[in-house]
């Protein structure tokens, strides 16, 4: 049966194919291995590496398989064929694999690029033995400087994983001296190590230069995957440094390259996710969801779960902003469940951060503290870009406890905030500084320092306005609303900052209607066995205003079924059976104005 118009490709009818396979197995079984070997050679000459390796393995010709894997494994890994490569790893006997440093380096790269140092260790040890063992030196050849330079680049990446950036820089620079100027593939890998080391040292300028060199070498080598690694790194750095418009520009360039190429390598999930982050911060949620969903699809197809975890965290955060804490809890539990199968440290920090937010929103500081204790980061640890989210979570916990008039907690919170801001400013981590300034303003407000609170919020607004941050303010909850209102009446504020404060106020769910802002914690009233949550109080106020369930859902950006659930909870807590009874009882308890 012909498969093309050039009369080059055909296939057998499937019944005939089954017949001749059966004949082969019964009459010429001993020749099968030789046929697989010949097929492997043919596929290799035709440029079909995966099929060539499969046939070499089927023939148990491990020498040929290792030779082919040496040439093609890294390219397959970067293109996203992780499960295929893992299958090769499991099939090649260890005694054959140990003879090939290049193969072991490829397998080690695969695990290191996924952030899994433990899985990479056996392959690193085998490669180390190949490079250091005297019996291996004739096999390697001292002239193979490219291979040795790649080995140094790999070691540099390992040192970064061990948080030893200075040692990493030294090895990476040695590798640069060794690698030929035209060896763009290896030089791109070396700059990966340099970029990570500079980021750990908060050296923004040199980190940007390193990522730009990765893009340069990727393009010079016509290696689309290496180029994407550079673009992803640049975009991620722009996000961290509060440059949302630059991140959008770089990530859009990466997405355009991906979609023009017609392939979906796993690194493209990061590019889509970075675009999602930009639109999320701008509160343009339709676009954000679209890019997060795309990132999740690519990540899942590639055998990774980073994007799926992050998207679950984002959904949890959005539900919390809307006041639907049950839905928020379901989403973060999904993220926790996915985390069990492994993920990079940065994803784990995102999950922990949202767990703490949600526990505090549900009035459970004990659970929040337990999660933080299990994070492996303490309040006393040095603040860095790797610990930012955890330290900010500690700050939120201190603020929560300080609201019960625990002034010592507020003083500790102010000190921690000072440390976080100092570290963030030194490393130009604008997003970290922004979050901390907003929470610090709430800390000052809770301690009665109105002037100090407004000064900090003015600072945050000045940082946020040029890039258009919105969700960062909404995520800290309705306690920010009175501070933003005060900014509007704060004489030192510029018209630009005040206009931005007004825009943020309008973005809060339900703001601008006859609804009092939500408190950070459940509203405790004498006469109620169980307090109303902030969302329930909002719904109650809209019910008193005469709004229908559909109107309430639209105003609060939640579903009608969620409104009905809130109504049911309100009726139960107030011990009533109707809207009219609920309004009367609420006025009696002082939850609503007596005059309506």
């Amino acid at each position: 049966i012909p498969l093309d118009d050039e009369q080059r490709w055909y296939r057998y009818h499937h019944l005939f194919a089954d017949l001749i396979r059966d004949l082969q197995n019964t009459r010429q079984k001993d020749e099968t291995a030789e046929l697989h070997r010949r097929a492997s050679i043919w596929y290799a000459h035709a440029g079909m590496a995966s099929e060539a390796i499969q046939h070499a393995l089927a023939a148990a010709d491990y020498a040929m398989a290792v030779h082919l894997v040496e040439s093609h494994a890294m390219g397959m890994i970067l293109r996203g064929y992780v499960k295929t490569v893992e299958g090769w790893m499991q099939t090649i006997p260890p005694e054959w694999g140990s003879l090939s440093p290049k193969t072991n380096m490829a397998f080690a790269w695969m695990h290191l690029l996924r952030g899994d140092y433990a899985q990479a260790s056996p392959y690193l040890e085998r490669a180390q033995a190949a490079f250091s063992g005297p019996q291996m030196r004739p096999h390697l050849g001292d002239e193979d400087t490219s291979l040795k330079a790649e080995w140094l680049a790999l070691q540099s990446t390992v040192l970064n994983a061990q948080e030893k950036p200075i040692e990493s820089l030294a090895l990476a620079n040695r590798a640069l001296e060794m690698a030929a100027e035209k060896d763009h593939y290896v030089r791109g890998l070396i700059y990966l190590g340099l970029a990570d080391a500079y980021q750990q040292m908060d050296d923004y300028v040199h980190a940007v230069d390193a990522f730009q060199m990765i893009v340069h070498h990727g393009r010079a080598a016509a290696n689309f995957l290496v180029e994407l690694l550079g673009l992803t790194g640049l975009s991620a750095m722009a996000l961290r440094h509060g440059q949302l418009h630059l991140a959008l520009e770089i990530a859009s360039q990466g997405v355009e390259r991906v979609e023009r190429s017609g392939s979906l390598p796993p690194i493209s999930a990061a590019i889509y996710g970075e675009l999602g982050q930009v639109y999320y911060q701008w509160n343009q949620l339709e676009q954000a969801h679209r890019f997060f969903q795309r990132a999740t699809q690519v990540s899942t197809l590639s055998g990774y779960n980073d994007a799926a975890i992050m998207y679950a965290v984002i959904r949890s955060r959005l539900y919390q902003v809307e006041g639907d804490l049950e839905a928020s809890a379901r989403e973060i539990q999904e993220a926790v469940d996915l985390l069990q199968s492994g993920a990079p440290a940065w994803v784990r920090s995102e999950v922990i951060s949202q767990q703490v937010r949600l526990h505090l929103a549900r009035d459970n500081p004990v659970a929040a503290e337990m999660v933080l204790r299990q994070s492996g980061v303490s309040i006393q640890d040095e603040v860095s870009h790797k610990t930012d989210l955890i330290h900010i979570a500690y700050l939120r916990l201190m603020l929560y406890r300080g609201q019960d008039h625990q002034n010592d907690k507020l003083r500790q919170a102010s000190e921690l905030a000072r440390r976080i801001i100092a570290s963030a400013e030194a490393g130009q981590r604008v997003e970290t500084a922004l979050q901390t300034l907003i929470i610090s303003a709430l800390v000052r407000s809770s301690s009665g320092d109105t002037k100090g609170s407004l000064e900090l919020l003015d600072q945050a607004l000045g940082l946020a306005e040029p890039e258009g941050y919105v969700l960062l303010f909404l995520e800290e909850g309705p306690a920010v609303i009175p501070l933003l209102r005060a900014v509007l009446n704060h004489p030192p504020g510029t018209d630009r900052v005040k206009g931005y404060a007004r825009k943020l106020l309008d973005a809060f769910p339900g703001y601008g209607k006859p609804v009092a802002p939500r408190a950070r914690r459940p509203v405790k009233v004498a006469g109620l066995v169980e307090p109303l949550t902030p969302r329930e109080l909002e719904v109650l106020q809209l019910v008193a205003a005469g709004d229908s369930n559909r109107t309430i859902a639209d105003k609060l950006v939640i579903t009608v079924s969620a409104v009905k659930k809130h109504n049911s909870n309100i009726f139960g807590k107030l011990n009533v059976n109707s809207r009219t009874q609920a309004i009367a009882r609420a006025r009696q308890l002082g939850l609503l104005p007596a005059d309506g």
Side-chain angles (χ1 to χ4, degrees):
I1 299 172
L3 298 178
D4 62 7
D5 296 330
E6 290 79 29
Q7 298 183 338
R8 289 177 54 84
W9 289 92
Y10 297 82
R11 69 171 175 85
Y12 285 124
H13 188 283
H14 63 91
L15 291 177
F16 184 59
D18 289 344
L19 171 65
I20 58 177
R21 285 196 190 98
D22 289 341
L23 289 173
Q24 173 65 30
N25 289 331
T26 55
R27 299 184 184 182
Q28 297 174 302
K29 192 172 183 178
D30 294 341
E31 297 177 11
T32 301
E34 174 58 20
L35 290 174
H36 278 301
R37 195 183 71 80
R38 285 165 56 187
S40 177
I41 294 169
W42 189 93
Y43 277 119
H45 288 161
M48 302 170 72
S50 181
E51 291 83 354
I53 292 168
Q54 293 295 347
H55 280 287
L57 292 172
D61 190 337
Y62 298 117
M64 179 185 289
V66 167
H67 173 72
L68 290 166
V69 169
E70 281 186 337
S71 302
H72 300 288
M74 197 62 184
M76 295 285 285
I77 289 165
L78 290 174
R79 288 200 301 276
Y81 296 102
V82 174
K83 294 191 182 299
T84 300
V85 176
E86 284 179 331
W88 301 342
M89 290 163 55
Q90 292 161 4
T91 307
I92 295 173
E95 61 270 21
W96 282 95
S98 63
L99 296 174
S100 170
K102 195 166 185 177
T103 299
N104 282 296
M105 284 199 296
F107 293 163
W109 276 118
M110 182 180 74
H111 290 299
L112 285 172
L113 290 173
R114 297 173 75 173
D116 194 339
Y117 174 72
Q119 292 289 332
S121 292
Y123 302 103
L124 290 168
E125 290 170 7
R126 288 183 197 169
Q128 177 68 57
F131 278 101
S132 59
Q135 74 277 12
M136 293 297 165
R137 296 194 180 198
H139 172 74
L140 289 175
D142 291 336
E143 75 283 358
D144 197 350
T145 54
S146 177
L147 189 62
K148 292 178 180 176
E150 184 181 345
W151 169 239
L152 290 176
L154 185 60
Q155 288 180 298
S156 169
T157 301
V158 171
L159 286 168
N160 284 328
Q162 297 170 340
E163 298 188 7
K164 298 177 180 178
I166 295 174
E167 294 92 328
S168 172
L169 282 178
L171 278 187
N173 283 316
R174 274 179 56 197
L176 277 181
E177 292 171 4
M178 189 178 294
E181 286 291 334
K182 293 184 178 179
D183 194 349
H184 298 294
Y185 166 72
V186 170
R187 291 182 80 85
L189 293 177
I190 294 168
Y191 276 107
L192 275 175
L194 285 168
D196 192 5
Y198 284 128
Q199 285 188 98
Q200 289 193 38
M201 296 166 70
D202 279 332
D203 188 338
Y204 176 72
V205 174
H206 284 99
V208 168
D209 289 344
F211 279 122
Q212 287 175 337
M213 290 303 294
I214 295 168
V215 175
H216 163 74
H217 285 296
R219 288 174 179 168
N223 191 320
F224 166 57
L225 283 309
V226 172
E227 178 188 346
L228 267 188
L229 285 170
L231 290 172
T232 300
L234 284 171
S235 180
M237 284 200 71
L239 280 172
R240 183 183 301 164
H241 293 273
Q243 299 166 303
L244 297 183
H245 293 92
L246 178 60
L248 177 72
E249 180 184 339
I250 296 169
S252 297
Q253 187 183 144
V255 165
E256 182 184 345
R257 291 282 287 115
V258 168
E259 296 183 349
R260 199 165 66 234
S261 74
S263 65
L264 284 172
I267 191 63
S268 58
I271 287 281
Y272 284 114
E274 285 157 3
L275 275 178
Q277 289 278 13
V278 172
Y279 286 112
Y280 175 80
Q281 288 299 345
W282 286 343
N283 202 26
Q284 297 178 23
L285 299 183
E286 186 177 341
Q287 294 97 316
H289 282 301
R290 180 161 59 90
F291 285 115
F292 282 130
Q293 286 166 355
R294 188 66 165 150
T296 302
Q297 291 166 355
V298 174
S299 180
T300 304
L301 286 172
S302 305
Y304 302 102
N305 61 7
D306 314 7
I309 295 172
M310 189 61 207
Y311 189 27
V313 170
I314 290 290
R315 293 195 303 270
S316 177
R317 282 155 60 176
L318 284 173
Y319 276 123
Q320 185 173 337
V321 168
E322 294 171 1
D324 191 342
L325 300 187
E326 294 303 318
S328 180
R330 286 195 299 272
E331 296 295 344
I332 199 61
Q333 186 58 50
E334 180 181 332
V336 171
D337 293 342
L338 287 169
L339 204 59
Q340 304 311 309
S341 57
W346 69 268
V347 178
R348 183 168 170 267
S349 295
E350 291 281 3
V351 173
I352 291 170
S353 173
Q354 177 53 19
Q355 283 181 294
V356 170
R357 288 180 203 247
L358 186 57
H359 283 314
L360 296 180
R362 302 179 87 179
D363 209 26
N364 193 349
V366 174
E369 186 170 17
M370 188 177 299
V371 169
L372 285 169
R373 282 181 179 173
Q374 294 169 352
S375 71
V377 177
S378 73
I379 296 176
Q380 290 75 29
D381 287 346
E382 184 179 352
V383 180
S384 71
H385 74 275
K386 289 190 174 181
T387 70
D388 279 345
L389 287 173
I390 307 300
H391 276 109
I392 289 172
Y394 274 114
L395 185 59
R396 288 194 177 96
L397 177 60
M398 289 177 174
L399 169 61
Y400 181 95
R401 287 186 164 151
Q403 289 174 333
D404 285 334
H405 305 293
Q406 295 185 32
N407 291 331
D408 59 325
K409 294 295 181 187
L410 294 176
R411 283 193 294 271
Q412 291 173 22
S414 293
E415 173 57 24
L416 177 58
R418 185 196 61 75
R419 288 172 50 212
I420 297 171
I421 291 171
S423 172
E425 287 178 346
Q428 301 179 50
R429 303 193 302 278
V430 172
E431 194 161 302
T432 296
L434 263 174
Q435 284 189 69
T436 310
L437 284 168
I438 298 166
I439 300 171
S440 296
L442 295 171
V443 169
R444 292 287 184 91
S445 177
S446 293
S447 63
D449 183 2
T450 304
K451 181 182 176 184
S453 175
L454 291 178
E455 286 174 355
L456 288 168
L457 195 64
D458 271 342
Q459 232 181 305
L461 291 168
L463 272 178
E465 188 274 335
E467 295 294 335
Y469 280 94
V470 175
L471 254 297
L472 216 59
F473 291 85
L474 269 58
E475 285 178 336
E476 298 309 327
V480 177
I481 290 176
L483 297 183
L484 289 171
R485 281 176 173 160
V487 166
L488 297 180
N489 301 314
H490 190 41
T494 65
D495 290 341
R496 190 170 179 178
V497 167
K498 289 182 177 181
Y500 192 56
R502 191 171 292 107
K503 173 185 174 182
L504 292 173
L505 281 169
D506 290 340
F508 272 90
Y511 184 79
K513 312 299 179 188
V515 181
R518 281 182 283 161
R520 284 180 63 85
R521 300 169 62 183
V523 181
K524 298 178 181 178
V525 177
L528 283 182
V529 176
E530 185 180 353
L532 296 183
T533 66
R535 181 59 99 191
E536 288 164 359
L537 182 59
E538 273 188 330
V539 171
L540 176 62
Q541 290 164 335
L542 289 170
V543 166
D547 289 341
S548 67
N549 287 344
R550 166 53 64 189
T551 303
I552 294 172
D554 291 341
K555 287 180 178 179
L556 299 184
V557 200
I558 58 177
T559 62
V560 173
S561 60
V563 175
K564 291 177 180 177
K565 176 65 174 174
H566 288 312
N567 280 333
S568 175
N569 291 341
I570 292 166
F571 292 173
K573 291 177 180 181
L574 296 179
N575 194 25
V576 297
N577 298 310
S578 70
R579 282 180 160 224
T580 304
Q581 290 175 355
I583 294 167
R585 177 68 172 147
R587 286 176 178 156
Q588 181 186 355
L589 293 172
L591 292 170
L592 293 172
D595 61 0

